[in-house]
């Protein structure tokens, strides 16, 4: 870990124990610096702030931020050149996201922002008892672009030095799952970082084959939504130290569960996260406790190519008020939910939230290994299920009757299959709406 990252980490280890008032004061100071920099040096924001009739001086309280315009995924994609700062710090790092909504976007940021990202990541992983230098097994999708051989060799050496081991989670046949178990036994990771649903699948295999011959291994879930039925399996296979996290390539770790397991603490020293609900007049307001809303994120330390009020397409559930029993005043979200695109439409034009399926499958954890629901353009639904031995007519009836009650007026077909294909990046999409 480089010195600048270490300095951020030490700072963040202290700020996590500050009072809510002090945290908000510091966050507003960071926001003010970002907004003035963007207004003075970034053509895109100078233009859009003026069009909206706001100046950075108008934003004094957290509520005032809603006077600033939102930045959609489409706008992020189209505005990169105009969003780059014309004064230092310049964006020296560029990344393309895998585009789980089907449209990849490129974002850029400066080195200082990278140090903050890394500091936030290491603090969050620390909550899961993971220290730099610990052995870690990544159960992840394959890298999208394979580096040339020489570079790949160097990466292998680096990973061994850093005591990291990567296991491809796309290979979820018998051999792939057995290989993952073998890696756990031989490599003895101090922590596993895993795609959430792939990890659920691995855990299910471990439980079914009674392969567990290890104690508790902290298990950090990432990249995919963590479903309750997968969490149950992971806790059985790896012990109770299961930590949900919410990250993205645009801003890295947005929120992470602490060891009180009472929701995910937002990384508010590095980002400003809003959860917004659209009311009946089409106006957006902050979600009330327990409500699900759109995630809007402001990247506080990225001056190179700022992201201000970026609606990233994710949905999160707002947390009831009150402090976490760990003592940290960092605000929390309850959970991150399916992508916004995962809303289904019934035969009468009504919206049906994609969360229907994980809720429906919860009592069927012993009968259903995997599933994927696809709503086609004609609104008909195909539900594919990888059954386990416990799947029977009762389970089939329960599913069909529940679906016919909830998504009324559309034809529903249930197919039992051997496997469900993953996207090229290795992510699973439990609900797909074809548009
Ligand atoms: Zn906590």
């Amino acid at each position: 870990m480089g010195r600048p990252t270490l300095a951020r980490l030490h700072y963040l280890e202290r700020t996590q124990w500050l009072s809510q008032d002090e945290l908000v004061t510091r966050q507003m100071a960071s926001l003010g610096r970002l907004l003035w920099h963007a207004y003075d040096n970034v053509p895109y924001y100078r233009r859009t702030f003026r069009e909206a009739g706001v100046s950075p001086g108008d934003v004094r309280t957290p509520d005032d931020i809603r006077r600033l315009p939102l930045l959609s995924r489409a706008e992020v994609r189209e505005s990169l050149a105009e969003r780059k700062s014309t004064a230092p710090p310049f964006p020296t790092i560029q990344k393309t996201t895998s585009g789980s909504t089907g449209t990849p976007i490129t974002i850029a940021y400066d080195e200082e922002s990278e140090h903050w990202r890394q500091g936030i990541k290491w603090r969050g992983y620390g909550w899961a008892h993971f220290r730099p230098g610990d052995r870690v097994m990544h159960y992840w999708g394959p890298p999208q672009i394979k580096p040339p051989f020489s570079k790949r060799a160097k990466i292998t050496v680096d990973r061994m030095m850093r005591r990291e081991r990567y296991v491809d989670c796309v290979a979820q046949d018998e051999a792939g799952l057995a290989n993952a178990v073998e890696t756990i036994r031989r490599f003895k990771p101090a922590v596993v970082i895993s795609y959430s649903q792939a990890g659920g699948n691995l855990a299910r295999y471990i439980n079914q084959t009674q392969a567990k011959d290890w104690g508790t291994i902290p298990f950090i879930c990432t990249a995919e939504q963590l479903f309750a039925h997968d969490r149950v399996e992971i806790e059985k296979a790896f012990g109770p130290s299961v930590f949900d996290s919410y990250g993205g390539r645009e801003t890295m770790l947005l929120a992470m569960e602490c060891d009180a397991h009472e929701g995910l603490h937002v990384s508010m020293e590095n980002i400003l996260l809003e959860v917004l609900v659209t009311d009946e007049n089409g106006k957006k307001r902050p979600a009330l406790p327990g409500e699900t809303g759109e995630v809007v994120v402001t990247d506080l330390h990225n001056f190179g190519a700022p992201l201000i009020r970026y609606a990233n397409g994710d949905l999160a559930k707002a947390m009831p008020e009150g402090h976490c029993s760990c003592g940290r005043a960092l605000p929390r979200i309850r959970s991150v939910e399916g992508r916004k695109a995962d809303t289904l439409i019934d035969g009468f034009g009504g919206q049906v939230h994609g969360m229907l399926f994980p809720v429906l499958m919860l009592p069927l954890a012993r009968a259903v290994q995997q599933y994927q629901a696809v709503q086609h353009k004609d609104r008909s639904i195909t539900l594919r299920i990888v059954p386990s031995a416990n799947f029977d007519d009762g389970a089939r009836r329960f599913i069909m009757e529940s679906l016919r009650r909830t998504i009324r007026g559309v034809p529903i077909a249930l197919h039992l299959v051997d496997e469900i294909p993953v996207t090229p990046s290795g992510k699973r999409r439990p609900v797909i709406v074809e548009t």
Side-chain angles (χ1 to χ4, degrees):
M1 189 186 302
R3 193 186 297 243
T5 295
L6 204 58
R8 294 294 161 276
L9 176 58
H10 287 158
Y11 172 82
L12 293 164
E13 296 280 11
R14 291 195 304 275
T15 54
Q16 64 181 327
W17 301 111
L18 293 176
S19 70
Q20 198 175 3
D21 284 352
E22 180 63 29
L23 282 164
V24 170
T25 302
R26 291 187 186 210
Q27 189 185 43
M28 290 309 293
S30 297
L31 178 66
R33 281 191 292 273
L34 173 72
L35 295 182
W36 278 114
H37 170 80
Y39 189 72
D40 288 341
N41 303 306
V42 180
Y44 178 85
Y45 287 108
R46 171 171 290 263
R47 179 170 66 76
T48 54
F49 287 5
R50 280 183 175 168
E51 283 166 5
V54 288
S55 134
D58 298 331
V59 181
R60 293 192 198 89
T61 70
D63 283 343
D64 291 338
I65 195 171
R66 291 202 301 283
R67 301 178 63 172
L68 301 171
L70 288 171
L71 183 67
S72 69
R73 279 181 71 89
E75 284 161 341
V76 166
R77 197 167 55 243
E78 288 150 17
S79 65
L80 181 62
E82 199 191 356
R83 262 189 310 103
K84 287 184 176 173
S85 177
T86 56
F90 298 115
T92 51
I93 304 164
Q94 199 150 306
K95 267 187 189 171
T96 300
T97 75
S98 61
S100 47
T101 54
T103 46
I105 58 168
T106 301
I107 51 114
Y109 51 95
D110 58 85
E111 255 165 68
E112 177 68 10
S113 176
E114 171 69 7
H115 300 319
W116 279 97
R117 286 157 198 252
Q118 292 294 332
I120 288 284
K121 181 184 87 175
W122 281 109
R123 179 180 72 179
Y125 285 5
W127 296 346
H129 320 292
F130 178 24
R131 301 277 175 267
D134 279 352
R135 287 163 176 267
V136 55
M137 178 177 123
H138 297 265
Y139 193 53
W140 273 2
Q144 278 188 302
I145 301 157
K146 288 203 167 64
F149 179 75
S150 59
K151 201 176 164 196
R152 196 157 58 207
K154 185 181 174 299
I155 287 173
T156 308
V157 174
D158 281 353
R159 280 179 185 163
M160 286 178 57
M161 297 284 287
R162 281 152 54 199
R163 301 160 77 80
E164 289 182 85
R165 199 61 59 88
Y166 282 73
V167 178
D168 179 1
C169 73
V170 174
Q172 296 222 308
D173 54 355
E174 175 83 30
L177 292 165
N179 171 49
V181 169
E182 198 53 32
T183 304
I184 296 166
R185 287 193 177 136
R186 287 179 180 221
F187 180 59
K188 300 190 186 348
V191 61
V192 177
I193 303 177
S194 172
Y195 274 26
S196 308
Q197 289 154 45
N201 222 29
L202 172 60
R204 207 165 287 116
Y205 171 81
I206 290 168
N207 297 333
Q208 278 164 4
T209 57
Q210 301 185 323
K212 184 186 182 203
D213 60 1
W214 49 80
T216 295
I217 303 176
F219 198 99
I220 300 173
C221 294
T222 183
E224 296 177 300
Q225 181 177 354
L226 173 59
F227 294 119
H229 65 271
D230 283 333
R231 187 174 189 126
V232 168
E233 297 282 348
I234 297 168
E235 285 175 352
K236 201 172 157 203
F238 293 92
S241 287
V242 179
F243 297 84
D244 195 4
S245 74
Y246 172 35
R249 276 172 75 81
E250 295 99 318
T251 47
M252 294 270 279
L253 192 62
L254 293 145
M256 167 95 193
E257 197 173 317
C258 71
D259 59 6
H261 305 290
E262 296 171 10
L264 285 71
H265 286 288
V266 174
S267 317
M268 74 178 284
E269 298 98 329
N270 191 45
I271 56 152
L272 194 154
L273 187 140
E274 302 169 72
V275 180
L276 299 180
V277 171
T278 308
D279 67 19
E280 56 274 18
N281 303 318
K283 268 195 80 172
K284 292 190 193 294
R285 58 160 177 83
L288 300 172
E291 263 186 329
T292 297
E294 288 173 68
V295 172
V296 173
V297 59
T298 297
D299 195 6
L300 293 171
H301 298 287
N302 178 7
F303 284 39
L307 281 173
I308 297 170
R309 300 204 80 210
Y310 166 42
N312 66 7
D314 291 340
L315 290 178
K317 187 182 265 191
M319 193 76 188
E321 298 216 15
H323 278 189
C324 183
S325 62
C326 72
R328 294 179 186 89
L330 296 169
R332 288 170 294 161
I333 49 175
R334 174 85 259 169
S335 57
V336 182
E337 306 191 348
R339 297 268 163 178
K340 198 181 165 193
D342 295 343
T343 299
L344 299 100
I345 307 287
D346 69 18
F348 308 95
Q351 293 195 351
V352 180
H353 199 292
M355 271 301 280
L356 160 70
F357 286 93
V359 170
L360 172 68
M361 295 299 169
L362 198 51
L364 298 168
R366 294 175 59 79
V368 173
Q369 292 190 44
Q370 264 178 42
Y371 67 89
Q372 184 175 61
V374 181
Q375 182 162 44
H376 308 288
K377 276 183 190 163
D378 65 0
R379 291 191 184 163
S380 67
I381 291 173
T382 304
L383 176 62
R384 296 189 185 89
I385 284 181
V386 180
S388 50
N390 294 316
F391 192 90
D392 57 18
D393 280 342
R396 179 189 288 269
R397 241 187 346 264
F398 172 79
I399 291 170
M400 292 307 286
E401 282 170 11
S402 306
L403 288 179
R404 287 201 183 105
R405 247 195 340 265
T406 329
I407 315 180
R408 294 167 307 130
V410 298
I412 300 167
L414 193 162
H415 298 299
L416 299 185
V417 295
D418 289 330
E419 60 175 345
I420 287 167
V422 294
T423 62
S425 66
K427 283 195 191 188
R428 258 160 228 292
R429 293 190 60 194
V431 181
I432 294 174
V433 179
E434 293 179 350
T435 51

